[in-house]
């Protein structure tokens, strides 16, 4: 039996990237939600919070740009990897002129075996919900001020607290009683244009469950839906202008040893028929400021839009990683 694919014939069809065709679309729509409408949807959400139908909701909108022959998905990936390095970077050719190019900051579900005295013990499941966002400063001193303002912001703290509470409840359905713990609270993570607060939650699966059970019981993450999940998803469907497609899904790997490592498809460019789509969302609470939430979605999308529209030294294949 062979242990390598080296030398095997490649039988898949070669399908070169096709840039945007101006003749196929009479009027190009640069964003699915007209400016100001997202803020109006935030007001609707606040009404739902007031009567107790929702505690938290995550609304999103999509921004679009045209791609030419000089900006294939491979170039987008190199730009993102250089300008906005993240824990989960990926480029996937889905066929039929659809690609995913991502630089996701957020772990969805990770499982790994634990060992004690040389023997395999329970599967450890962990997640790192992200909620709480502020823009990067101009320098290290301004970054420090932004971190301070983020940590002191009660609304941003409430966002993450609620997400983590739901996440803990998800784990409690399949983990050993007493094993679910928050092992990191409001940790700071910095990216090219954003500063986030992140919690770190772990638990140990009961013997009748495996990594796929852990994946399914967290579906879909509270950080991209809201709480209660069913009502939040219904609110999203009623108030977002377009389908989410791959946004809020997950990309990762499942190991033959039963392990798993997945990241949410956030900060991800979906390329379809030569058009690049960037979807970004904001976590809404009762005390959300509607214009500020709309601006947050624009800020989150900005790093990816920069990678789409601005050429750089990463464009050549000889650039260092």
């Amino acid at each position: 039996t062979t242990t390598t694919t080296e030398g095997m014939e490649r039988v898949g069809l070669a399908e070169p990237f096709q840039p945007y065709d101006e003749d196929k679309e009479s009027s190009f729509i640069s964003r699915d939600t007209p400016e100001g409408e997202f803020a109006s949807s935030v007001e609707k959400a606040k009404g739902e919070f007031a009567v107790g139908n929702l505690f938290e909701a995550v609304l999103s909108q999509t921004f679009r740009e045209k791609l030419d022959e000089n900006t294939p998905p491979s170039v987008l990936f190199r730009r993102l990897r250089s300008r906005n390095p993240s824990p989960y970077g990926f480029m996937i050719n889905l066929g039929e002129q659809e690609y995913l190019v991502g630089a996701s900051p957020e772990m969805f579900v990770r499982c790994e075996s634990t060992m004690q005295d040389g023997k395999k013990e329970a599967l450890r499941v962990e997640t790192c919900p992200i909620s709480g966002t502020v823009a990067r400063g101009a320098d290290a001193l301004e970054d420090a001020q932004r971190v301070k303002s983020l940590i002191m912001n009660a609304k941003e703290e409430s966002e993450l607290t609620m997400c983590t509470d739901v996440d803990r409840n998800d784990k409690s359905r399949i983990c050993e009683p007493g094993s679910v713990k928050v092992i990191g609270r409001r940790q700071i993570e910095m990216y090219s244009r954003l500063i986030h607060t992140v919690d770190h939650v772990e638990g140990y699966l009961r013997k009748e469950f495996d990594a796929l059970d852990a994946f399914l019981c967290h579906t879909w993450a509270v950080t991209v839906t809201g709480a209660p999940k069913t009502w939040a998803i219904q609110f999203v469907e009623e108030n977002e202008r377009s389908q989410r497609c791959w946004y809020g899904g997950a990309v990762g790997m499942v190991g033959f040893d039963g392990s798993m490592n997945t990241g949410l498809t956030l900060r991800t460019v979906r390329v379809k028929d030569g058009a690049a789509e960037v979807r970004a969302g904001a976590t809404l609470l009762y005390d959300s400021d509607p214009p500020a939430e709309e601006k947050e979605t624009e800020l989150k999308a900005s790093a990816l839009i920069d990678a789409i529209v601005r050429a750089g030294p990463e464009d050549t294949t000889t650039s260092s990683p």
Side-chain angles (χ1 to χ4, degrees), residues 158-217:
S158 297
E159 280 186 20
L160 186 56
T161 298
M162 197 168 299
C163 288
T164 298
D165 280 346
V166 174
D167 188 275
R168 290 165 60 206
N169 290 340
D170 289 340
K171 285 183 178 59
S172 294
R173 292 185 288 163
I174 58 172
C175 286
E176 294 285 354
S179 71
V180 178
K181 297 177 182 177
V182 179
I183 58 176
R185 174 62 176 159
R186 299 195 78 198
Q187 298 172 316
I188 295 296
E189 290 187 3
M190 291 189 175
Y191 296 93
S192 62
R193 301 193 178 198
L194 300 170
I195 303 172
H196 289 305
T197 47
V198 185
D199 280 355
H200 193 174
V201 189
E202 72 166 10
Y204 289 84
L205 297 182
R206 301 203 297 273
K207 293 189 182 299
E208 63 266 32
F209 296 114
D210 60 21
L212 292 177
D213 294 308
F215 183 93
L216 291 172
C217 89

Side-chain angles (χ1 to χ4, degrees), residues 98-143:
E98 184 177 15
Y99 305 80
L100 290 182
V101 184
S104 175
E106 184 169 351
M107 178 197 300
F108 179 44
V109 174
R110 182 163 67 189
C111 288
E112 59 185 1
S113 297
T114 57
M115 303 293 289
Q116 187 172 354
D117 298 329
K119 296 181 180 179
K120 184 177 178 180
E121 294 293 322
L123 273 175
R124 176 176 179 265
V125 56
E126 59 180 323
T127 53
C128 291
I130 293 178
S131 199
T133 303
V134 70
R136 289 288 301 266
D139 53 33
L141 290 176
E142 193 172 345
D143 273 344

Side-chain angles (χ1 to χ4, degrees), residues 64-83:
R64 301 176 75 232
E65 296 285 346
K66 302 173 185 177
L67 296 178
D68 59 26
E69 63 276 4
N70 297 317
T71 321
S74 58
V75 167
L76 294 183
F77 179 70
R78 284 197 292 270
R79 291 177 185 175
L80 276 179
R81 187 176 62 174
S82 173
R83 302 176 195 178

Side-chain angles (χ1 to χ4, degrees), residues 15-317:
E15 186 182 21
F17 166 71
Q18 298 295 323
Y20 182 77
D21 186 349
E22 298 283 356
D23 297 330
K24 283 188 176 181
E25 194 171 354
S26 57
S27 59
F28 185 81
I29 301 173
S30 60
R31 56 193 294 172
D32 68 345
T33 307
E35 192 169 350
E37 186 177 303
F38 188 92
S40 298
S41 296
V42 177
E43 291 286 5
K44 291 182 186 178
K46 294 181 71 168
E48 297 296 316
F49 300 144
V51 297
N53 288 337
L54 292 173
F55 306 131
E56 179 179 71
V58 182
L59 285 182
S60 62
Q61 60 177 322
T62 296
F63 305 87
R64 301 176 75 232
E65 296 285 346
K66 302 173 185 177
L67 296 178
D68 59 26
E69 63 276 4
N70 297 317
T71 321
S74 58
V75 167
L76 294 183
F77 179 70
R78 284 197 292 270
R79 291 177 185 175
L80 276 179
R81 187 176 62 174
S82 173
R83 302 176 195 178
N84 191 46
S86 299
Y88 295 90
F90 51 89
M91 186 185 76
I92 304 173
N93 184 345
L94 298 167
E96 298 181 350
Q97 291 300 311
E98 184 177 15
Y99 305 80
L100 290 182
V101 184
S104 175
E106 184 169 351
M107 178 197 300
F108 179 44
V109 174
R110 182 163 67 189
C111 288
E112 59 185 1
S113 297
T114 57
M115 303 293 289
Q116 187 172 354
D117 298 329
K119 296 181 180 179
K120 184 177 178 180
E121 294 293 322
L123 273 175
R124 176 176 179 265
V125 56
E126 59 180 323
T127 53
C128 291
I130 293 178
S131 199
T133 303
V134 70
R136 289 288 301 266
D139 53 33
L141 290 176
E142 193 172 345
D143 273 344
Q145 289 297 322
R146 299 286 177 89
V147 168
K148 181 179 178 181
S149 69
L150 180 59
I151 292 296
M152 299 295 291
N153 188 308
K155 185 262 182 183
E156 302 288 349
E157 181 180 7
S158 297
E159 280 186 20
L160 186 56
T161 298
M162 197 168 299
C163 288
T164 298
D165 280 346
V166 174
D167 188 275
R168 290 165 60 206
N169 290 340
D170 289 340
K171 285 183 178 59
S172 294
R173 292 185 288 163
I174 58 172
C175 286
E176 294 285 354
S179 71
V180 178
K181 297 177 182 177
V182 179
I183 58 176
R185 174 62 176 159
R186 299 195 78 198
Q187 298 172 316
I188 295 296
E189 290 187 3
M190 291 189 175
Y191 296 93
S192 62
R193 301 193 178 198
L194 300 170
I195 303 172
H196 289 305
T197 47
V198 185
D199 280 355
H200 193 174
V201 189
E202 72 166 10
Y204 289 84
L205 297 182
R206 301 203 297 273
K207 293 189 182 299
E208 63 266 32
F209 296 114
D210 60 21
L212 292 177
D213 294 308
F215 183 93
L216 291 172
C217 89
H218 287 84
T219 307
W220 282 112
V222 62
T223 51
V224 293
T225 54
K229 280 187 183 180
T230 303
W231 284 89
I233 291 170
Q234 179 178 328
F235 182 81
V236 165
E237 290 181 343
E238 292 172 351
N239 289 277
E240 290 187 349
R241 278 282 192 132
S242 61
Q243 294 180 341
R244 288 189 167 189
C245 298
W246 301 98
Y247 175 80
V251 171
M253 51 163 273
V254 179
F256 290 108
D257 60 351
S259 63
M260 171 183 285
N261 191 354
T262 58
L264 287 174
T265 48
L266 307 175
R267 314 297 142 77
T268 297
V269 182
R270 176 190 181 233
V271 177
K272 179 62 176 174
D273 296 327
E277 301 175 356
V278 177
R279 198 171 190 100
T283 303
L284 314 179
L285 296 177
Y286 178 74
D287 53 355
S288 286
D289 175 48
E293 301 291 1
E294 183 165 349
K295 287 292 184 184
E296 181 175 318
T297 65
E298 295 169 355
L299 174 63
K300 287 177 176 176
S302 64
L304 283 85
I305 293 174
D306 174 73
I308 295 167
V309 302
R310 183 170 65 89
E314 315 93 343
D315 294 8
T316 60
T317 56

